Amino acid sequence: MKKFFLLLMAAATFNANAALISITTDKDTYSVGETIMATVSATELINDNAVQTYFYGYNALFNFDSSLLSLDVSSIFDLGALGNQPVVGTNGSTESTLSIISIESFLAAIVPLFEGAEFAQNGKSTVELFSFNLLALNAGTVELSPVSSVITNNGGVALPNVSTESTSFEIAQVPAPGTLALSLLALGGMFFTNKRAKS
């Protein structure tokens, strides 16, 4: 009976957090031509029993509707979830596809006191993974979610019980200035240049 009770306690405290990979944007509504700043995070890393889930790598793939959005590939930025000097690759990223893979630096395994993934994540229920910028091209409703995303253990194997959460936002058409306003602006410009030419 004692062994059964110990097994039951071990199962109850086993590190089986249901982690969540989520994406957020800086606003809910954008105008055509504006930059959308998005951040991808791993959340719910500490369960109700205060057991922390650590991860040592992540990868994600997003596809974007190229009629509404354009990815600024140079804006993809790792936010330090894996500690100092992670290995980050964005090969395959284009204006309509974001592909990122990041793993903890090999130095974390061999150098004592190196600030690796466990140092960066310790005590945090939410850890920001990476950020990127998109350009709003046309008006419409955008549902932004990854095609695939995983966080991995120190052996490179995807952690179980990880789900994803998407976000959505609106892109509004920039209102065209009224004809009367443009006419007044043109008339004022002609008056100003005519007056300046006479001086």
Side-chain angles (χ1 to χ4, degrees), residues 56-174:
Y56 302 87
Y58 64 83
N59 62 62
L61 175 66
F62 289 82
N63 288 329
F64 308 107
D65 182 346
S66 59
S67 67
L68 297 175
L69 301 169
S70 176
L71 172 66
D72 177 3
V73 176
S74 67
S75 72
I76 303 169
F77 186 71
D78 179 82
L79 296 174
L82 302 177
N84 289 336
Q85 303 172 353
V87 179
V88 180
T90 57
N91 294 345
S93 294
T94 65
E95 290 180 353
S96 62
T97 302
L98 182 150
S99 175
I100 186 168
I101 184 167
S102 182
I103 56 173
E104 181 183 46
S105 172
F106 72 93
L107 293 173
I110 60 173
V111 177
L113 302 177
F114 185 84
E115 297 178 358
E118 289 185 20
F119 177 84
Q121 298 167 27
N122 191 30
K124 297 177 184 173
S125 183
T126 299
V127 178
E128 293 181 337
L129 302 177
F130 63 96
S131 63
F132 58 95
N133 294 340
L134 299 161
L135 179 64
L137 300 176
N138 288 303
T141 301
V142 175
E143 178 77 21
L144 198 57
S145 64
V147 174
S148 66
S149 60
V150 295
I151 54 178
T152 60
N153 65 17
N154 56 1
V157 177
L159 294 176
N161 304 323
V162 177
S163 57
T164 58
E165 182 178 73
S166 62
T167 190
S168 61
F169 54 87
E170 292 288 327
I171 301 173
Q173 190 65 39
V174 177

